[in-house]
Amino acid sequence: MLFQVRMDVEIPTDLPEDVAADIKAREKAYSQELQRSGKWRHIWRVAGEYANYSIFDVDSNEELHGLLTGLPLFPYMRIAVTPLCRHPSSIRDDDR
Ligand SMILES: O=C(O)CC1=CCC(=O)O1
């Protein structure tokens, strides 16, 4: 199951810099591990914003929920999820 996910990051300005740096480092490692696993297919920066558009390929809504709530930055994000399905004109075999 494919989902487009938009993540808007809002780290409070009073969060100590070293704490924020640690969360961002853990976020990067978590994200890259999921990208290597194929669960997190794409991640794109939204130009000019502290936000990204991502594509997840998971087995269920519950799995997506678990992955998103496990993000180290989850407490500091607004997340919007859009379910996707194959477009009849797609020429890509892995769009499912
Ligand atoms: O910087 C972001 O958009 C938040 C984020 C998600 C995964 C990651 O490494 O950073």
Side-chain angles (χ1 to χ4, degrees):
M1 300 167 72
L2 293 175
F3 295 89
Q4 181 210 58
V5 179
R6 176 172 172 132
M7 303 177 201
D8 287 86
V9 184
E10 288 167 9
I11 297 177
T13 50
D14 61 353
L15 195 70
E17 242 176 65
D18 58 328
V19 175
D22 176 64
I23 294 170
K24 288 179 196 173
R26 288 189 288 113
E27 178 85 6
K28 183 173 184 174
Y30 182 87
S31 163
Q32 291 186 336
E33 184 60 33
L34 287 172
Q35 288 177 63
R36 279 188 283 271
S37 80
K39 297 281 179 192
W40 194 326
R41 274 219 211 160
H42 298 281
I43 180 168
W44 295 94
R45 175 64 75 218
V46 179
E49 297 182 45
Y50 193 177
N52 71 74
Y53 275 110
S54 291
I55 302 293
F56 283 80
D57 186 356
V58 292
D59 294 331
S60 65
N61 292 2
E62 288 75 15
E63 183 180 16
L64 180 67
H65 183 72
L67 295 181
L68 296 179
T69 55
L71 289 162
L73 277 172
F74 180 75
Y76 310 110
M77 282 178 167
R78 276 182 299 113
I79 296 178
V81 175
T82 305
L84 303 174
C85 59
R86 184 177 177 81
H87 193 285
S89 302
S90 175
I91 61 166
R92 300 190 185 285
D93 290 339
D94 62 348
D95 286 355
R96 59 191 152 70

